[in-house]
Each structure stands twice: as C-alpha cells, then as structure tokens.
C-alpha cells in the first residue's frame, strides 16, 4: 500500500549508505587491483593476449555491467479498449494523477512510471531521482548507465558518476519501418549531425562511455525485406539501389517476372510500383 511505499524510502537509504559499491573498483568502475595500461582520459579498447578489452580512462581493465533506462521511469502504457486490465485508472480530471495522461504521440496512453514516482516521492525532480539511481547501480554491482538512461550524468560530481551512454537514432530518413535509407546521400550526414550534436557536450567527459545506436532494427527475412523495399515510392534511394542490383544479376525484366510470377513491362515499371510483389 501507499504507506509501505513511503517506508521503503527509509529502508533503501540505510541500505545504500551501507553498500556503496565494490571495493575492487576504481572511480570509473574499472578493476582497481588489476594491470595498468596507457591512460588516455577516455574509454578505449585494446587487444591484450589476442582478446579485446575495454580500458577505462585511468588505464585499468573495465567490464561494463549496466542497465537500460537508469534514472528514468517514463513508462507509457496504452489503455484504450484495455481498461479491464487495470484495477483502477485515475480520472483525467484528477488534480494530481490526471496529468499523467498522454497527448499527441502518447494519446490514449498513461504514464504509470511517472505516476508511481509521484506516489512514492511526491513531485518529480529529475536531479534527485538520478542521484538515487547512481547510488543504486553502484550498490547493486553495476557500473554503467545503459541506453535510454539519463544522459546528464556529467552534471553530477565525479564521486557520484558512473560511466554512461548516449542514444543516437539513425531513422531520420527511413526506408522501411525501423530501417533507414542508407543509400540516401543525406543519410550519412544526418547521422553525423546527430552524433556531433551530442558529442559537443559529452566527449569532454571521461565518464562518457559511448553511443548506443538504434535498437531492434527490422531486417525481416531476406525475401520479405526485398518485398518491403520494392513497395516504397519511386524517390527512395534504397529501392533504386535494389533494382540496380536486380538489373545486374538478372539482366532483363522478363527474368525477374519469371522468378517472381510478375508482369512488369520494364525496370521503370517496377520502380514505379508500390504494390506487394
């Protein structure tokens, strides 16, 4: 019940004060008592005895053990036509919990994550929640903030920080669902710009571990992937690239028609097509 939730705060504070992290770790979560290598002030990799290792900024061996979404609890859950799954949903007019209903992209969803944080801690403050999350990961034997975590760890004092990642998405120019049009000449620069925008702020922080790029890309099975690419509009560079490959391998549209049971009059006809083949 709600009273127990409040009591857990006091219990956890005592636990975190007692268990502050592994004594075998240095300030970066690297192996303090292990061999030392060149210290560059940043995380890097080095091949040692035929195997690749991560080296922390101080030159110690580092094994990244982390968790995603640390310092964040934005849990959006669809509720429309699923109301029977929930014991209770607050009314949208509720002065406190009504504000956690989504709008726009999150329409017909409720943010149970932020609602839970409000129930436990009161008004949500990102700085305070990340501070607690930093203590937690160290106490639980973790040493990395994984993808989708709070990326503002650099604002905290060095004794509070753990190595952290930054998320970068490459789907600004999509080809299929969750797959970018990598053949578009603007795609590479778009990705560079997205990384650069974060690099200007993060690359100077020795605790910045690296970028997490995309997630669960939809490769499909080979034939399904080809079908979806060929259903794209004529202006998609990835579609043109696939047709160029087909031209080189099959030579004529007649050969393509025979292999796919299609009836296209020309390669241009295939390029213009947006139906499933």
């Amino acid at each position: 019940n709600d009273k127990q939730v409040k009591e857990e705060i006091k219990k956890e504070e005592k636990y975190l004060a007692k268990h502050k992290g592994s004594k075998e770790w240095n300030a970066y979560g690297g192996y303090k008592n292990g061999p030392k290598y060149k210290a560059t002030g940043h995380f890097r990799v080095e091949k040692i005895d035929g195997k690749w290792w991560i080296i922390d900024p101080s030159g110690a061996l580092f094994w990244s053990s982390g968790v995603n979404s640390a310092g964040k609890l934005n849990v959006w859950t669809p509720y429309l036509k699923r109301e029977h799954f929930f014991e209770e949903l607050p009314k949208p007019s509720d002065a406190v919990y009504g504000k956690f209903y989504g709008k726009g992209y999150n329409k017909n969803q409720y943010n149970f994550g932020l609602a839970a944080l409000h129930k436990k801690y009161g008004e949500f403050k990102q700085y305070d929640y990340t501070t607690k999350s930093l203590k937690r990961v160290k106490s639980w034997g973790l040493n990395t903030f994984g993808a989708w975590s709070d990326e503002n760890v650099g604002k905290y004092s060095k004794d509070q920080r753990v190595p952290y990642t930054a998320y970068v998405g490459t789907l600004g120019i999509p080809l299929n669902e969750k797959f970018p049009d990598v053949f578009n000449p603007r795609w590479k620069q778009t990705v560079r710009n997205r990384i650069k925008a974060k690099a200007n702020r993060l690359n100077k922080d020795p605790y910045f571990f690296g970028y997490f790029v995309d997630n669960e890309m939809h490769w499909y099975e080979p034939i399904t992937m080809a079908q979806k690419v060929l259903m794209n509009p004529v202006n998609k560079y990835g579609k043109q690239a696939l047709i160029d490959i087909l031209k080189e391998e099959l030579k004529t549209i007649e050969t393509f028609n025979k292999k796919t049971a299609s009836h296209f009059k020309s390669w241009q006809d295939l390029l213009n097509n947006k139906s499933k083949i």
Side-chain angles (χ1 to χ4, degrees), residues 124-244:
F124 175 73
K125 295 179 181 178
Q126 183 64 61
Y127 187 90
D128 292 343
Y129 187 59
T130 297
T131 298
K132 183 175 286 288
S133 298
L134 289 166
K135 291 180 180 179
R136 282 173 171 170
V137 295
K138 291 179 182 179
S139 180
W140 297 345
L142 305 173
N143 63 5
T144 311
F145 265 27
W148 308 293
S149 298
D150 186 354
E151 297 180 3
N152 294 304
V153 175
K155 293 181 178 180
Y156 296 76
S157 62
K158 289 186 177 181
D159 63 310
Q160 290 179 294
R161 296 181 213 174
V162 298
Y164 62 100
T165 61
Y167 176 79
V168 175
T170 72
L171 293 172
I173 303 176
L175 179 61
N176 292 335
E177 180 191 11
K178 294 203 76 173
F179 196 89
D181 191 351
V182 298
F183 293 96
N184 190 309
R186 293 188 294 111
W187 177 78
K188 184 182 291 187
Q189 190 58 47
T190 298
V191 177
R192 284 180 179 274
N193 290 343
R194 289 186 173 190
I195 293 175
K196 187 176 180 180
K198 294 196 173 186
N200 289 335
R201 176 171 59 91
L202 302 175
N203 280 3
K204 296 177 182 178
D205 185 1
Y207 284 82
F208 175 52
F209 183 60
Y211 296 98
F212 187 95
V213 183
D214 290 323
N215 185 58
E216 298 178 357
M217 303 297 283
H218 290 190
W219 285 91
Y220 309 100
E221 295 179 354
I223 292 178
T224 304
M225 183 66 164
Q227 287 176 327
K228 288 185 173 292
V229 171
L230 291 174
M231 290 169 64
N232 269 288
V234 66
N235 63 342
K236 292 290 184 178
Y237 287 84
K239 182 176 184 177
Q240 180 64 65
L242 176 55
I243 291 178
D244 288 343

Side-chain angles (χ1 to χ4, degrees), residues 58-85:
S58 71
L61 296 174
F62 181 84
W63 180 274
S64 177
S65 177
V67 60
N68 289 342
S69 303
K72 288 190 175 182
L73 199 63
N74 281 322
V75 185
W76 288 102
T77 304
Y79 63 83
L80 192 64
K81 297 183 180 180
R82 303 167 76 239
E83 290 85 352
H84 54 286
F85 290 151

